[in-house]
Amino acid sequence: MVSVFISCALLSCKVNKQKNAGEPTTTYTYKKPNIVLLFVDDYGWSDIGYRNSTFNTPNLNQFKKESLDFTRAYIPTPTCSPSRVSLLTGKESARLEMSRHVPEEELFINEKYNLWPTDPVQRPSINYLPLEEVTYAEELKKHGYYNYFIGKWHVGHVGRYPIDQGFDAEFGTTDNGHPKSYYFPFFKSGDPRNFMKDYKEGDYLTDVLTDGAVDFIENYDKTAPFMLSFWYYSVHGPSVGRKDLLKKYQDAGLEGKYAHHAAMVEAMDASVGRVRKAIKEKGIEDNTVIIVLSDQGGAYTNAPLSGGKKGGNTLGEGGARVPLLISYPGVTKSNTETDIPVQSIDIYPTLVELASGKKYQNDAIQGVSLLPLLKGNKIAKRNLYFLRSYEDQYAAVISGDWKLIKYHSGKFQLFNVTEDISEQHDLIGTGLKIEATLKEDIRNWERDFVPAYK
């Protein structure tokens, strides 16, 4: 019998008789939920209908009403590949020597590191997730889960694919960080599985991958619980909106690539709706956890947040803060929010606890379980750390309401991101005690992870 820390709504019960006293006792058996992780690419915190009426996202708007919305969720290294490594391992990607994206060029397939021409310190960044790292799929497999992966991988080439890291099967995985076009033939190169060979002109990539997700759910016939990891290529560029949606946004006054972007967001939202519909029709809605998360901020405006995927301010709220919504039937209270700062590294221990029904302790990871928050409780206060290695801005720390950003040139910025969500009022040098505290904290953190690069 496992220790009980999950709502009784998710426990199957059996009444037994005590041998001596004759008093009935109840034995609880943990009912493992299915888990669906919808991981969207370059989906900005503001690119969602209930925050920005520019976007039509009825399915995500409805999902918010049924879930817990983490309004201050962050990515430790808001960049394609590092964000995936952190999600997979529960570790800050900086500690795994990955501070940039994995290059797609063939010359890097057998190289361990790459350098970035404009990186002021020429920090080497690893070109793959080492196979010895334990992914959440490998952990869930220990607890009897079947792991299915769909979509963008971008943490290693062939031989370092999902099926090499604990996933039982994969669909749509390529060497690419993004497609050539979201319309067929999709990828210019780097499709060694040739999984697109059966598609035709006019097929849209987001829909093709969603077909795969729906098919998996509808036809799943194993007794084991499953975890479906659906990692979208969308809404990463190139911005190519689905044609039937694009005209609506152009008629509404959006121009150029931003109109395409809005159409891509709506197509992604429709995908979320289709996946949820399949779960409901399968009859497993009441025992399926659904997580929606983005890998970094958007490439366009992220107002009211400052910064974004590009432009030298990726550690601004617009680049590092992302949508995160979780629904755990019988546990999460519908239509609720938490402003407690969390990071994507926290998904890993949360998944393991969902799979095991037990508290999870692993000193090798930096993430902490979000189960207490899902249950309406608290988690211990802590600092959140960030690192990238492309430009002058490279590191940051968040402590409660406060955020300190560090630059190679010696510059610092300090913001109260609760009172100043747009980061317009730099409080560095104004005599606040928190400035000295966070400067010391980030200095100690860098000393801690830098040996990984030696």
Side-chain angles (χ1 to χ4, degrees):
M1 184 177 81
V2 299
S3 60
V4 177
F5 73 88
I6 303 297
S7 166
C8 286
L10 297 171
L11 300 170
S12 57
C13 303
K14 181 172 64 176
V15 177
N16 297 324
K17 291 284 187 178
Q18 290 183 351
K19 287 185 178 180
N20 298 323
E23 295 292 330
T25 61
T26 303
T27 300
Y28 294 96
T29 303
Y30 179 60
K31 188 178 180 182
K32 298 180 179 182
N34 302 301
I35 307 169
V36 175
L37 171 59
L38 303 175
F39 190 41
V40 188
D41 198 324
D42 288 3
Y43 187 42
W45 185 85
S46 301
D47 289 357
I48 195 164
Y50 61 83
R51 291 193 179 116
N52 184 346
S53 61
T54 298
F55 299 96
N56 185 32
T57 59
N59 294 290
L60 286 171
N61 290 0
Q62 179 60 36
F63 186 58
K64 174 188 166 48
K65 295 177 182 178
E66 302 170 22
S67 63
L68 175 62
D69 186 354
F70 293 79
T71 62
R72 291 188 64 197
Y74 296 91
I75 304 295
T77 295
T79 310
C80 283
S81 303
S83 68
R84 284 156 174 75
V85 164
S86 291
L87 182 59
L88 283 166
T89 66
K91 298 179 180 181
E92 297 161 343
S93 61
R95 297 176 186 272
L96 298 176
E97 303 181 277
M98 187 178 286
S99 52
R100 292 188 297 276
H101 68 281
V102 172
E104 298 173 23
E105 293 83 355
E106 289 187 7
L107 66 91
F108 288 106
I109 291 178
N110 297 314
E111 294 292 328
K112 186 172 182 179
Y113 298 103
N114 70 82
L115 298 175
W116 193 254
T118 59
D119 177 11
V121 296
Q122 289 296 286
R123 187 191 310 276
S125 184
I126 198 169
N127 288 326
Y128 49 79
L129 173 65
L131 293 177
E132 60 267 24
E133 290 296 327
V134 180
T135 67
Y136 66 69
E138 290 169 311
E139 279 291 339
L140 266 60
K141 187 181 289 289
K142 296 176 185 177
H143 299 289
Y145 274 71
Y146 182 87
N147 292 279
Y148 191 60
F149 186 90
I150 293 178
K152 176 175 173 175
W153 182 239
H154 206 194
V155 294
H157 296 77
V158 174
R160 301 179 184 276
Y161 268 19
I163 56 172
D164 304 303
Q165 294 275 197
F167 293 89
D168 295 286
E170 63 192 24
F171 171 61
T173 305
T174 72
D175 289 349
N176 295 273
H178 60 83
K180 177 183 69 173
S181 173
Y182 281 87
Y183 277 102
F184 183 84
F186 308 126
F187 298 101
K188 182 178 181 180
S189 62
D191 183 7
R193 296 284 192 272
N194 198 24
F195 83 98
M196 293 284 91
K197 66 182 185 306
D198 295 326
Y199 296 97
K200 63 186 184 304
E201 185 176 352
D203 287 338
Y204 193 72
L205 181 59
T206 302
D207 296 337
V208 165
L209 297 178
T210 306
D211 290 343
V214 170
D215 182 69
F216 169 76
I217 294 166
E218 290 179 343
N219 294 291
Y220 189 75
D221 59 1
K222 303 181 188 300
T223 57
F226 69 77
M227 176 164 182
L228 168 61
S229 297
F230 185 173
W231 292 15
Y232 291 79
Y233 288 90
S234 189
V235 293
H236 191 294
S239 294
V240 179
R242 210 173 69 192
K243 294 174 183 177
D244 63 314
L245 299 174
L246 177 60
K247 187 174 185 303
K248 175 173 66 174
Y249 291 98
Q250 292 173 330
D251 290 346
L254 297 188
E255 298 180 351
K257 291 183 178 180
Y258 197 53
H260 281 273
H261 175 67
M264 291 178 72
V265 167
E266 183 168 347
M268 177 274 296
D269 179 80
S271 169
V272 173
R274 288 184 59 200
V275 170
R276 295 195 66 207
K277 182 172 183 269
I279 291 168
K280 183 175 183 178
E281 292 181 348
K282 184 74 170 179
I284 58 175
E285 182 179 28
D286 291 341
N287 193 40
T288 299
V289 175
I290 300 177
I291 303 169
V292 177
L293 174 69
S294 174
D295 76 329
Q296 66 182 112
Y300 298 96
T301 175
N302 292 287
L305 307 183
S306 69
K309 176 182 177 177
K310 302 176 181 179
N313 185 24
T314 301
L315 298 182
E317 294 290 286
R321 189 192 291 208
V322 295
L324 171 61
L325 300 103
I326 302 178
S327 171
Y328 188 178
V331 175
T332 50
K333 185 178 179 181
S334 296
N335 202 23
T336 52
E337 296 182 350
T338 176
D339 61 359
I340 294 174
V342 301
Q343 280 185 321
S344 55
I345 52 176
D346 301 331
I347 299 297
Y348 181 102
T350 305
L351 294 176
V352 179
E353 290 194 354
L354 289 172
S356 67
K358 300 178 181 179
K359 292 189 180 296
Y360 180 66
Q361 180 64 40
N362 182 349
D363 292 338
I365 69 172
Q366 289 76 56
V368 302
S369 174
L370 300 178
L371 255 296
L373 296 178
L374 296 181
K375 295 169 64 180
N377 299 321
K378 302 291 185 181
I379 58 175
K381 292 183 179 180
R382 58 181 170 147
N383 286 355
L384 304 180
Y385 294 96
F386 304 79
L387 182 130
R388 278 169 46 97
S389 196
Y390 289 90
E391 54 250 331
D392 189 24
Q393 184 194 75
Y394 80 97
V397 55
I398 284 177
S399 180
D401 297 342
W402 295 96
K403 179 177 179 183
L404 181 81
I405 302 176
K406 187 176 183 180
Y407 294 74
H408 287 300
S409 59
K411 174 183 173 181
F412 286 92
Q413 292 174 303
L414 178 66
F415 301 102
N416 183 316
V417 293
T418 298
E419 296 179 357
D420 179 21
I421 193 173
S422 301
E423 296 172 298
Q424 296 301 301
H425 305 289
D426 184 2
L427 299 174
I428 207 75
T430 60
L432 296 172
K433 291 182 180 180
I434 191 68
E435 176 182 328
T437 299
L438 293 184
K439 282 182 176 179
E440 182 65 19
D441 287 347
I442 202 168
R443 187 180 304 116
N444 291 335
W445 176 73
E446 286 189 77
R447 288 171 181 161
D448 194 24
F449 84 77
V450 164
Y453 291 88
K454 299 301 184 183

